[in-house]
Amino acid sequence: MSQSTLDEDELFGEAASEVREDVEASLEQASDSLPDTDDIWNVEADNTLGALNALRSALDTGDAADHLRDAKKWYTMGERADAFEEADDLEAEIGRVEEAIEDIEDAKEQVGDLTSTIPGVKNTLEELQADDEEADDEADAAADADTDEESDEAQTDDEDAEEAEAAE
């Protein structure tokens, strides 16, 4: 075997190691770009809409997708060049990070939907409650009017009875 072949094999081995390191570094950057668990779980707000807005902001994946893309790019190059002796761990980690990004983006979309829906629900409920209160007020007013009318009738009856007694 010639010296040049040994050098090429050695260079290829170094390149393969560097590609693996690039994939691992990009995966680590992708994971580091994902939101912190506490930021998602512990949201402070004065009301539901504030909590939803804070949660939506916390669900930002930042540059995670870009870092994942770099990891996948270097992984694909390494795989096609048959540069990896064992790449199952890299493939599994790429899948885990990709799934996490998708889950977070789905959650962010759902929170966004709720954020746009909740104010409408609040307005609808306020209108219904205002209508109910108005109906209750009208019913109370009608009941008060009936009570006043009955009191007036009772008073008139009492006065009529007193007049009849006095006339006797």
Side-chain angles (χ1 to χ4, degrees):
M1 193 182 253
S2 73
Q3 180 64 30
S4 126
T5 304
L6 284 175
D7 288 342
E8 287 176 4
D9 287 344
E10 188 176 308
L11 289 173
F12 185 79
E14 284 180 32
S17 292
E18 288 176 11
V19 169
R20 183 177 187 83
E21 288 171 9
D22 286 345
V23 172
E24 290 171 347
S26 292
L27 284 171
E28 186 174 332
Q29 289 173 328
S31 293
D32 290 347
S33 295
L34 294 175
D36 185 65
T37 305
D38 288 341
D39 292 342
I40 292 173
W41 194 252
N42 300 318
V43 176
E44 292 184 28
D46 293 332
N47 57 42
T48 302
L49 189 57
L52 288 171
N53 283 326
L55 179 57
R56 186 174 58 187
S57 294
L59 289 169
D60 185 15
T61 57
D63 294 333
D66 292 336
H67 294 302
L68 178 64
R69 180 175 168 73
D70 287 344
K72 290 170 88 174
K73 176 176 60 177
W74 290 114
Y75 175 80
T76 301
M77 289 229 355
E79 276 291 295
R80 287 190 181 167
D82 200 24
F84 302 129
E85 290 179 23
E86 287 259 339
D88 292 344
D89 61 326
L90 293 176
E91 186 176 10
E93 186 62 16
I94 287 172
R96 280 179 6 100
V97 171
E98 186 171 37
E99 187 175 322
I101 291 170
E102 288 173 1
D103 289 348
I104 292 167
E105 288 174 351
D106 286 347
K108 186 175 183 176
E109 185 177 322
Q110 291 172 5
V111 170
D113 290 346
L114 276 174
T115 301
S116 63
T117 303
I118 291 297
V121 170
K122 178 185 176 274
N123 290 340
T124 300
L125 291 172
E126 286 175 342
E127 288 173 8
L128 284 171
Q129 290 168 356
D131 289 347
D132 286 348
E133 287 175 13
E134 189 176 301
D136 288 346
D137 289 346
E138 288 175 7
D140 289 346
D144 288 345
D146 288 345
T147 302
D148 289 345
E149 193 175 293
E150 288 173 8
S151 289
D152 289 344
E153 286 178 13
Q155 188 175 4
T156 304
D157 289 344
D158 288 344
E159 289 172 359
D160 289 345
E162 287 176 10
E163 287 177 13
E165 265 182 37
E168 289 179 5

